[in-house]
Amino acid sequence: MLAALAGLDGRAFAEEPGRRLPDAAATLKEKSGPRTAVFAGGCFWGVQGVFQHVRGVTEAVSGYAGGSRDSASYQAVGSGRTGHAEAVRITYDPSIIRYDELLTIFFSVALDPTQVNRQGPDSGTQYRSAIFTADAEQARIAKAYVAQLDAAHAYAKPIATKIERGAFYPAEAYHQDFMALNPRHSYIVANDAPKLRDLQRFFPERTSAEPVLVGAQPPA
């Protein structure tokens, strides 16, 4: 993503293709009312862009998870030394979509979970694959699903996604809704638009045509 912000062309890298993975064997029954999930899967532009189109998601905010508030800025996190991961905080309605169902979408289309400290053209610990859990139940469900996928050999390599705990800090305003507002950006076209197409292809019943945005509506 650094190259993209510098005005250089992003390009697609060889990764595991999107697919519809099996549903989680362990499901999470949740209380009514808004719930949150935090997923890190490389550049937050694409992860946010996918979940903004998922039915039952009421908000998806790009940000930084796993480090301290003092260094939660794009410039600092970009050094790879703050402990943060670029992440997305998803607010969802559990009466429409459950946490374990969000996990299935995340692993199916939002990233290549076999990559270690990288996604696509971006490398560094800030681009690691991680799930930041809110409580013990989320951690249990996430660990069980990773184990389920590894046992089924869903990917040619073991899943590298880590289960972590840590605070979430929203990213700068210019990072919010980036995919919706900049659909023709070279980085988005090469690396993130395919993720949204995979969501539409593999989870049509879960896909909303219009994204839920953090800020202003995208241009017509």
Side-chain angles (χ1 to χ4, degrees):
M1 192 170 65
L2 288 171
L5 286 178
L8 302 177
D9 285 341
R11 63 187 181 91
F13 280 57
E15 294 183 334
E16 290 278 0
R19 68 201 68 184
R20 181 157 187 160
L21 293 170
D23 294 340
T27 62
L28 183 58
K29 294 182 179 179
E30 300 174 280
K31 297 179 181 178
S32 60
R35 302 282 292 174
T36 60
V38 177
F39 298 151
C43 172
F44 42 35
W45 292 348
V47 179
Q48 183 193 44
V50 166
F51 283 99
Q52 287 181 317
H53 282 274
V54 172
R55 294 184 188 276
V57 170
T58 58
E59 185 179 60
V61 178
S62 290
Y64 313 106
S68 69
R69 181 182 299 276
D70 292 344
S71 54
S73 69
Y74 183 71
Q75 183 174 6
V77 172
S79 71
R81 298 190 295 269
T82 67
H84 296 88
E86 289 198 11
V88 175
R89 183 185 64 203
I90 300 155
T91 303
Y92 63 98
D93 181 348
S95 70
I96 299 175
I97 189 166
R98 300 189 308 268
Y99 180 74
D100 54 278
E101 293 170 325
L102 292 172
L103 285 173
T104 301
I105 292 172
F106 175 65
F107 282 108
S108 294
V109 303
L111 81 165
D112 175 355
T114 69
Q115 296 290 311
V116 178
N117 292 335
R118 74 167 304 122
Q119 285 292 315
D122 303 310
S123 62
T125 59
Q126 70 272 33
Y127 297 113
R128 68 187 181 275
S129 171
I131 299 167
F132 290 84
T133 57
D135 52 36
E137 276 297 281
Q138 282 193 355
R140 179 181 68 83
I141 295 298
K143 290 175 182 177
Y145 193 50
V146 170
Q148 175 186 335
L149 295 179
D150 271 338
H153 302 289
Y155 291 94
K157 296 185 291 184
I159 290 175
T161 306
K162 303 299 182 184
I163 312 302
E164 303 186 30
R165 292 295 299 273
F168 176 87
Y169 308 100
E172 297 82 353
Y174 65 88
H175 283 303
Q176 306 302 338
D177 306 324
F178 194 90
M179 186 173 175
L181 296 173
N182 302 277
R184 296 180 180 83
H185 192 291
S186 58
Y187 183 98
I188 296 297
V189 170
N191 299 287
D192 292 335
K195 299 175 183 180
L196 182 54
R197 290 196 293 270
D198 284 344
L199 174 70
Q200 296 164 335
R201 175 185 177 188
F202 297 116
F203 296 91
E205 79 286 3
R206 294 287 186 193
T207 302
S208 175
E210 297 299 324
V212 291
L213 299 178
V214 177
Q217 295 294 315

